[in-house]
Structures are given as structure tokens and as C-alpha cells.
């Protein structure tokens, strides 16, 4: 089953890096245009209900885009979680966003994105928002025309945002790390 295969096309590259960036961006934009539910609500009970009913958070949004282009990322992250000791055996209980951050930390260079510059960010780059303790609090994907695919905590339905939206929400004490 491709859903548990770390290397769907058996070319020696895992599903996270062995993709067509333009196809990934197009899939994420398609999911965003569907205006599906987010996993956030006005109370913890509503948030839990929406999460278990398939509501999207930022990781689920990205993961679904990967799935739609036939490159599931969960098997890669599960393998990393097992190797790191963050999960064991058959359990799928691990922090997906944190494992994705660890994956990019281990396999590529992450750069800190300055809040004060208007630098061009490459389409298809994955970014992570870290709190003052360097824990991942959110993540996203850079889309076309300076838009980003991210679900912010106030979103009730998925929608496109800009990096300005992200930096306005995550202000003091946060930093943004982005893939090269």
C-alpha cells in the first residue's frame, strides 16, 4: 500500500523530497480553494470534534497535498519518529509538525526568515514558526504570488494567507525558519 511506503516510486528518495513542487503547490491551492473546515473552534470541545471529523490544521493541509500527488509523508515521518525515539512500534502517536521540522533540520538547511525584510521566498518552500522555546507552533507552504498555505488559529475555514498575515499573528517571541 502506497499509504505506508516511504519511497512510492522506489528510486531511493523519500516521498518528502521526491516531488514536483509545482504539483504540490497546485494541490495545496486546490485544497485551500475548497474552503474546508479547519480544526479550530471557539472551545476545546468544538476543536476536538472538528479535528476528529477531519478538520484541517496546517500539517494536515500539507500532508493532504502530498497525498493527492501520491507521495504520502506520514511513513517518512513515522520512520524518523521511531529512529529518534519519539514513537515506538506500531504507534502513530507523535507530533507531526515537530517531526517534519526535525526532518528538514536533519536533511536540509533551514534559514531564519527575517521579519524586517521583504525577501523573495521560493515557491514550494516549507516554513516553520517556532516559539521562544524553539518548539514548532505552526507551519506552512509558500504558494504563488507571495501567498502561503497555513491554517491560522482564528481560521474557521481554510483560506489563503500572506506572509504579512503570518508575521502579524506571530509577532514577539516567534521566529520563522524556512527551507532553502
Amino acid at each position: 500500500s502506497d499509504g505506508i511506503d516511504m519511497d512510492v516510486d522506489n528510486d531511493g528518495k523519500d516521498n518528502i523530497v521526491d516531488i514536483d513542487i509545482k504539483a504540490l503547490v497546485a494541490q495545496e491551492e486546490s485544497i485551500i480553494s475548497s474552503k474546508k473546515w479547519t480544526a479550530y473552534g471557539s472551545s476545546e470541545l468544538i476543536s476536538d470534534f472538528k479535528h476528529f471529523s477531519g478538520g484541517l490544521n496546517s500539517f494536515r493541509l500539507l500532508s493532504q497535498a502530498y497525498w493527492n500527488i501520491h507521495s504520502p509523508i506520514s511513513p517518512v515521518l513515522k520512520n524518523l519518529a521511531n529512529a529518534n525515539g519519539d514513537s515506538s512500534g506500531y504507534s502513530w502517536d507523535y507530533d507531526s509538525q515537530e517531526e517534519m521540522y526535525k526532518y528538514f533540520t536533519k536533511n536540509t538547511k533551514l534559514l531564519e526568515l527575517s521579519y524586517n525584510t521583504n525577501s523573495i521566498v521560493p515557491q514550494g518552500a516549507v516554513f516553520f514558526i517556532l516559539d521562544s522555546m524553539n518548539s514548532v507552533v505552526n507551519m506552512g507552504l509558500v504558494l504563488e504570488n507571495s501567498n502561503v498555505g497555513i491554517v491560522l488559529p482564528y481560521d474557521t475555514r481554510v483560506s489563503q494567507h500572506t506572509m504579512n498575515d503570518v508575521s502579524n499573528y506571530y509577532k514577539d517571541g516567534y521566529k520563522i525558519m524556512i527551507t532553502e
Side-chain angles (χ1 to χ4, degrees):
S1 171
D2 285 347
I4 58 173
D5 190 352
M6 291 179 21
D7 179 12
V8 171
D9 58 2
N10 298 317
D11 66 352
K13 298 178 191 168
D14 67 54
N15 298 339
I16 292 177
V17 295
D18 191 19
I19 57 161
D20 176 354
I21 294 292
K22 289 185 187 274
L24 179 66
V25 168
Q27 278 302 315
E28 185 137 339
E29 287 175 336
S30 174
I31 296 166
I32 290 170
S33 69
S34 72
K35 303 288 185 196
K36 296 199 182 300
W37 254 8
T38 68
Y40 300 113
S42 58
S43 70
E44 189 173 335
L45 179 63
I46 292 172
S47 293
D48 287 347
F49 173 77
K50 289 174 75 176
H51 176 79
F52 289 114
S53 299
L56 297 174
N57 60 24
S58 295
F59 176 79
R60 280 184 170 179
L61 176 62
L62 183 61
S63 178
Q64 186 62 52
Y66 268 95
W67 180 269
N68 290 355
I69 62 170
H70 309 290
S71 290
I73 60 176
S74 292
V76 179
L77 298 178
K78 171 64 174 150
N79 184 60
L80 180 62
N82 283 342
N84 291 339
D86 297 334
S87 178
S88 62
Y90 295 105
S91 171
W92 284 89
D93 189 26
Y94 59 90
D95 184 340
S96 303
Q97 287 186 145
E98 193 70 38
E99 290 304 320
M100 189 86 164
Y101 177 71
K102 288 177 183 177
Y103 174 88
F104 282 113
T105 299
K106 178 181 176 185
N107 294 305
T108 65
K109 295 177 182 169
L110 289 172
L111 302 171
E112 186 170 351
L113 186 65
S114 173
Y115 279 89
N116 300 325
T117 64
N118 291 326
S119 57
I120 302 297
V121 182
Q123 180 180 351
V126 177
F127 64 92
F128 300 90
I129 299 157
L130 307 176
D131 64 13
S132 60
M133 303 298 290
N134 285 329
S135 296
V136 179
V137 295
N138 210 337
M139 63 182 295
L141 181 73
V142 178
L143 306 174
E144 294 179 332
N145 302 322
S146 301
N147 290 318
V148 294
I150 187 171
V151 179
L152 294 173
Y154 60 78
D155 291 337
T156 56
R157 299 211 174 258
V158 290
S159 61
Q160 263 187 12
H161 291 283
T162 64
M163 282 306 272
N164 281 338
D165 296 336
V166 173
S167 61
N168 286 337
Y169 186 82
Y170 295 103
K171 294 179 185 173
D172 301 327
Y174 294 95
K175 65 181 175 182
I176 299 175
M177 302 298 289
I178 192 157
T179 58
E180 287 187 282

